[in-house]
Amino acid sequence: MSNQFYPGAHIAELFFPLSNNENSVLQVIQKIVAGGYYRGFETGIIHQPEIAKSIRELAEQNKMHVTQWLTFELLKDNLNLGSLDKMLRETSIKRACELVHLAAECGTSKLSLVSGSDPGAARREEAKEGFAEALIRIGEVVNQYPGMLMQVEPLDRFAHKRQLIGPTGETVTWMTRLRADCPHLYLAWDSAHVALNEEDLAESLRLAAPLISQLHLANAILDPQAQGYGDYHMKFGEPGFLTDATAAHIVATAKDLPLPPELGEISIAVEMRTTADDDLWDNESQCRAFLQRALAAAQ
């Protein structure tokens, strides 16, 4: 039986220049919902209670899935859930736990985060133990909200972001063991980071399949000698690796893998960051068309 995917709008990236204006984010969500194509959307954390309430009501009335990222909030305060500095890690965990409650006010079903920087091979296992403790404690708060899961996005280990949680095989081994204490933990798969880790996309998907809660179609330049090498949330197509054919290959591969049955459909979104100079809705239109082509070609 083939898996089904629902299209998501990564508002935090597609409308990045508006991300600090919560009224503008709400207006974008309203327009996205009215458009009728997407069945989910991704944002940062919302702080204003009345806006959170409006987002939750919109999502409930229109059967939309809400994903929120803690990343922006934690980076803003230089916090790091995988830090070897125990005091910093403790501060980071407490802040993340507070943010879970804010996410719940928006009706969030997927609370999303990343690990923090990689300290190097000598202390990597120690850092992973600290990050595991953080996830268990955050997960205890997530468990207070039925229907909410927590997902970690592995990033690239050596190319650009240099994160603690990166290569797929290592991540899956670590995460599978951790799920005994953190049962609602899943993996947000991102094509750019997999490619920058110099992994085969299809093999990474096969390894991660039982844990995958969403897919990001993200582009990157993979030549270390080329300008723009790394994860800059660039537009799809050349000079990056994420062409129409590659996106269709990702979706077609994932379609027949043993993804978590308890999740039902899996969200798939294009991750492309805009600037203040961009026509934001034109960029959204281009990303929507790219996603539609990928989904159609994979059928």
Side-chain angles (χ1 to χ4, degrees):
M1 180 176 156
S2 294
N3 298 301
Q4 297 297 311
F5 302 101
Y6 66 82
H10 199 333
I11 290 172
E13 297 290 345
L14 284 174
F15 296 89
F16 184 73
L18 307 179
S19 56
N20 291 323
N21 186 327
E22 295 186 358
N23 284 297
S24 295
V25 171
L26 175 58
Q27 290 169 9
V28 169
I29 292 170
Q30 289 168 335
K31 192 169 177 179
I32 288 287
V33 170
Y37 174 65
Y38 297 106
R39 292 188 38 227
F41 53 84
E42 304 180 39
T43 74
I45 295 296
I46 300 295
H47 295 83
Q48 296 179 61
E50 68 278 9
I51 292 180
K53 182 172 183 282
S54 295
I55 291 172
R56 185 177 70 250
E57 289 175 348
L58 267 172
E60 289 173 351
Q61 290 162 8
N62 294 278
K63 295 182 169 55
M64 299 280 282
H65 302 269
V66 183
T67 297
Q68 290 193 310
W69 289 85
L70 301 189
T71 315
F72 310 103
E73 290 291 324
L74 298 178
L75 287 175
K76 185 174 69 179
D77 296 324
N78 295 313
L79 299 176
N80 180 353
L81 294 166
S83 176
L84 293 167
D85 179 333
K86 290 183 180 179
M87 288 184 64
L88 175 60
R89 190 168 71 244
E90 184 64 28
T91 301
S92 304
I93 293 169
K94 286 181 177 175
R95 181 61 182 145
C97 289
E98 292 168 0
L99 295 171
V100 175
H101 299 299
L102 289 183
E105 292 300 308
C106 278
T108 296
S109 55
K110 283 186 281 193
L111 187 78
S112 316
L113 44 85
V114 298
S115 61
S117 55
D118 177 40
R123 302 193 71 185
R124 188 172 294 143
E125 292 307 312
E126 180 186 351
K128 283 162 73 175
E129 285 179 15
F131 185 48
E133 178 205 343
L135 292 178
I136 290 167
R137 287 174 54 189
I138 298 165
E140 288 169 353
V141 183
V142 169
N143 290 345
Q144 296 175 24
Y145 299 102
M148 187 188 291
L149 61 81
M150 183 166 55
Q151 58 182 12
V152 171
E153 182 180 57
L155 304 190
D156 53 273
R157 172 67 63 73
F158 60 86
H160 181 188
K161 299 297 173 65
R162 300 184 180 180
Q163 292 274 302
L164 173 64
I165 300 302
T168 307
E170 178 187 320
T171 299
V172 169
T173 299
W174 172 81
M175 192 176 283
T176 301
R177 193 166 58 238
L178 179 56
R179 282 183 113 208
D181 297 309
C182 197
H184 298 122
L185 179 65
Y186 291 85
L187 186 150
W189 189 92
D190 182 291
S191 59
H193 295 296
V194 171
L196 286 166
N197 280 327
E198 299 180 357
E199 299 180 64
D200 179 82
L201 296 169
E203 179 60 19
S204 170
L205 284 165
R206 281 191 285 271
L207 284 170
L211 299 170
I212 290 176
S213 49
Q214 74 171 41
L215 299 172
H216 273 172
L217 298 177
N219 200 13
I221 290 172
L222 304 182
D223 179 359
Q225 306 307 316
Q227 185 176 0
Y229 171 63
D231 176 54
Y232 291 99
H233 301 184
M234 65 185 287
K235 185 179 178 179
F236 51 84
E238 297 179 343
F241 76 94
L242 189 70
T243 60
D244 278 50
T246 301
H249 170 62
I250 289 167
V251 180
T253 301
K255 186 165 63 75
D256 295 318
L257 291 173
L259 301 179
E262 68 274 14
L263 299 185
E265 297 176 301
I266 299 290
S267 62
I268 181 167
V270 177
E271 183 173 19
M272 184 178 88
R273 179 170 293 188
T274 53
T275 71
D277 296 327
D278 291 321
D279 180 330
L280 304 185
W281 284 103
D282 180 62
N283 278 278
E284 179 278 322
S285 176
Q286 291 183 50
C287 286
R288 176 164 25 101
F290 180 77
L291 180 56
Q292 287 172 318
R293 292 195 300 272
L295 288 165
Q299 292 306 315

